[in-house]
Amino acid sequence: MAHFHRRPDWAIAEREATPEHVFFNRRAVLAGFGASMAALAAPPFAGRALAADDPTADLYPAGRNEAYTIERDLTPEEASSQYNNFYEFGSHKQIARAAQDLKIRPWDVEIGGLVDKPQKLAFDDLIRKMPLEERLYRHRCVEAWSMTVPWTGFPLSALVELAAPQASAKYVRFETFLDPAMASGQKQVWYPWPYVEGVTMAEAANELAFMVTGVYGKPLAKQFGAPLRLALPWKYGFKSIKSIVKVTFTEERPVSFWERIASNEYGFWANVNPEVPHPRWSQAQERVLHTGETIPTVIYNGYGEQVAGLYEGMVDEALFM
Ligand SMILES: Nc1nc2c(c(=O)[nH]1)N[C@H]1C(S)=C(S)[C@@H](COP(=O)(O)O)O[C@H]1N2
Ligand SMILES: [Mo]
């Protein structure tokens, strides 16, 4: 019974494990972000969405919803698009180039399970049924780095409405594509592919739960999880599943990808809380991706007003891991 798996890279506190923040700091000092990238030993700025080639290009930029702006500075695209978690393309942060192998057309999204309207839609049809808007959201990775990005997309609640779930549905389960020939990371058999995530129906109905189709006023670049990903800004980043092909309404709680790998470290709820450390590192602070600055982490990543009510009275649940 040779059942073992390699520890994920974030098994070590990331600021100890990786040189990237040093790299970013040095780059910021030397040139300032966005300036003369080519002059530095930096990776090329791979994977800008080629707006003209994208069948949804005419939908961008979408109008900004001013209810979702924040005081923090936006993370420059040059930083957020060159430092990504997308294990399907490698277990490190420099996957932007490899992720260009992701084939995003044709792209179907299957909606099923306990619903009145099971359906399989082409992404290009789905997006045109949905109310697109831009929102500025914080993103806090469980590895204790953070960014602030302008996502474009539509509320998850609009997709729930389209599916018409039955009363017995208690959870929404999301699944990423499975294609090891295209995504070399999926050849690593010790990971439980495909990537799976889930939320409760109440979480799915929360106004903050957002299905993302674009960023920086353009269709999503591949490394961000094109053409369709989730953003749950009050939870650790691993809940925000990328490149979704399947949405299933279930009675049973889905077991997510990282929960299956290490349930004592990456739970179902994964709500951000600076006072509940990861078993192997503190969550009290976070490193701002593009500046290297360390700032305090805030409960529910600053979204307590919108989401704390979801968890009232749930004393027996591990809400913060
Ligand atoms: N399918 C899939 N979704 C994923 C991941 C992944 O490896 N595969 N990584 C997660 C993690 S840990 C984080 S922090 C965010 C990173 O999103 P970003 O690369 O756009 O910053 O995506 C999440 N969604
Ligand atoms: Mo993450």
Side-chain angles (χ1 to χ4, degrees):
M1 37 156 271
H3 176 77
F4 63 90
H5 55 79
R6 211 190 62 162
R7 272 193 183 283
D9 284 358
W10 63 43
I12 307 164
E14 195 226 17
R15 60 192 158 282
E16 295 160 33
T18 66
E20 280 81 12
H21 63 295
V22 178
F23 167 73
F24 276 128
N25 286 341
R26 188 190 47 154
R27 193 158 66 168
V29 168
L30 286 180
F33 250 100
S36 73
M37 305 289 288
L40 297 159
F45 188 8
R48 281 182 195 268
L50 296 174
D53 295 349
D54 192 291
T56 61
D58 60 297
L59 299 172
Y60 297 87
R64 181 174 294 176
N65 184 335
E66 297 294 341
Y68 304 98
T69 56
I70 24 189
E71 335 68 61
R72 290 184 181 182
D73 287 343
L74 280 187
T75 303
E77 186 178 5
E78 289 82 350
S80 59
S81 70
Q82 298 299 307
Y83 189 91
N84 303 94
N85 272 328
F86 201 170
Y87 274 60
E88 285 82 348
F89 295 99
S91 57
H92 52 85
K93 308 295 185 234
Q94 276 67 46
I95 53 76
R97 182 178 291 276
Q100 303 319 303
D101 289 346
L102 176 61
K103 195 170 170 265
I104 55 171
R105 293 296 187 289
W107 192 279
D108 290 335
V109 180
E110 197 181 331
I111 301 172
L114 302 169
V115 297
D116 285 340
K117 296 181 184 165
Q119 51 197 299
K120 191 170 190 170
L121 296 96
F123 171 74
D124 293 327
D125 296 332
L126 172 64
I127 191 174
R128 285 177 200 278
K129 292 180 196 289
M130 294 290 140
L132 285 198
E133 62 185 42
E134 183 178 73
R135 298 181 177 190
L136 308 187
Y137 268 8
R138 301 177 182 201
H139 176 94
R140 170 60 159 81
C141 176
V142 72
E143 302 161 310
W145 56 267
S146 68
M147 61 180 185
T148 304
V149 287
W151 298 124
T152 300
F154 55 87
L156 174 54
S157 61
L159 189 130
V160 172
E161 202 178 309
L162 183 77
Q166 296 162 358
S168 54
K170 293 197 173 68
Y171 299 92
V172 190
R173 179 187 184 276
F174 300 89
E175 198 175 295
T176 298
F177 68 85
L178 179 63
D179 186 351
M182 175 180 76
S184 61
Q186 292 184 331
K187 290 178 181 150
Q188 310 293 8
V189 294
W190 52 80
Y191 289 114
W193 309 112
Y195 201 100
V196 168
E197 261 306 340
V199 295
T200 63
M201 289 297 288
E203 289 175 326
N206 188 273
E207 56 162 323
L208 283 177
F210 200 50
M211 295 295 282
V212 172
T213 61
V215 69
Y216 299 100
K218 297 173 290 191
L220 271 186
K222 292 178 179 179
Q223 60 268 40
F224 286 110
L228 182 66
R229 69 170 291 171
L230 192 56
L232 302 167
W234 72 99
K235 292 177 178 285
Y236 291 117
F238 66 87
K239 296 290 296 182
S240 294
I241 182 173
K242 295 180 168 183
S243 302
I244 296 164
V245 294
K246 204 169 170 184
V247 182
T248 313
F249 293 77
T250 67
E251 201 163 354
E252 258 180 52
R253 188 154 106 183
V255 181
S256 47
F257 180 80
W258 286 109
E259 188 182 8
R260 208 175 277 287
I261 293 167
S263 63
N264 57 324
E265 306 203 348
Y266 311 105
F268 173 78
W269 298 102
N271 295 310
V272 173
N273 188 340
E275 288 173 14
V276 179
H278 182 275
R280 284 173 293 107
W281 61 83
S282 167
Q283 296 290 22
Q285 299 191 305
E286 64 202 60
R287 174 175 57 83
V288 179
L289 187 58
H290 66 291
T291 63
E293 187 192 358
T294 298
I295 60 171
T297 288
V298 184
I299 181 117
Y300 294 115
N301 203 21
Y303 296 101
E305 203 178 304
Q306 291 96 325
V307 301
L310 289 170
Y311 309 106
E312 256 159 40
M314 294 175 59
V315 286
D316 294 335
E317 295 286 338
L319 292 173
F320 303 106
M321 66 150 275

